[in-house]
Amino acid sequence: MTHEHNHEEELHVQHITVIDENGNEQLCEVIHVHESPEFGKSYVFYSMVGAEEDEDGSVEIFVSSFVPSENGEDGELTPIETEAEWDMVEDVLNALEDENEE
């Protein structure tokens, strides 16, 4: 009997497929998911797989609100619409960056 390991699952790496405004599919790596009781939504922080690092060694991070489907397997990403949501997202991102620096 053989048992195969999916190393990505062991590392808890999750990927999502994002469709851009031109209809192109982009594979993205989920960095963090944040549940916000204040707004009653989930927010997913992600970066493009294979994205080039800038001169500081950073990659661009995107954030969208997330509405899970009824089966819980996938869902829909929606834009963040309010300034209050952006403020909260920035606070979460800053906290994540602080954790990574430690």
Side-chain angles (χ1 to χ4, degrees), residues 12-84:
H12 302 299
V13 174
Q14 292 183 319
H15 291 102
I16 58 174
T17 301
V18 176
I19 300 173
D20 67 17
E21 62 274 357
N22 297 323
N24 300 315
E25 291 185 358
Q26 298 287 331
L27 184 63
C28 299
E29 181 177 331
V30 174
I31 298 166
H32 181 71
V33 176
H34 178 74
E35 304 287 332
S36 173
E38 178 183 353
F39 295 104
K41 298 180 185 177
S42 297
Y43 296 85
V44 62
F45 295 70
Y46 58 96
S47 63
M48 301 291 176
V49 169
E52 298 285 327
E53 292 182 353
D54 65 15
E55 60 274 356
D56 297 326
S58 299
V59 295
E60 188 172 10
I61 295 176
F62 301 91
V63 183
S64 298
S65 60
F66 177 73
V67 179
S69 65
E70 289 181 20
N71 65 12
E73 292 182 13
D74 53 10
E76 183 177 342
L77 297 177
T78 57
I80 295 172
E81 298 174 345
T82 68
E83 197 65 38

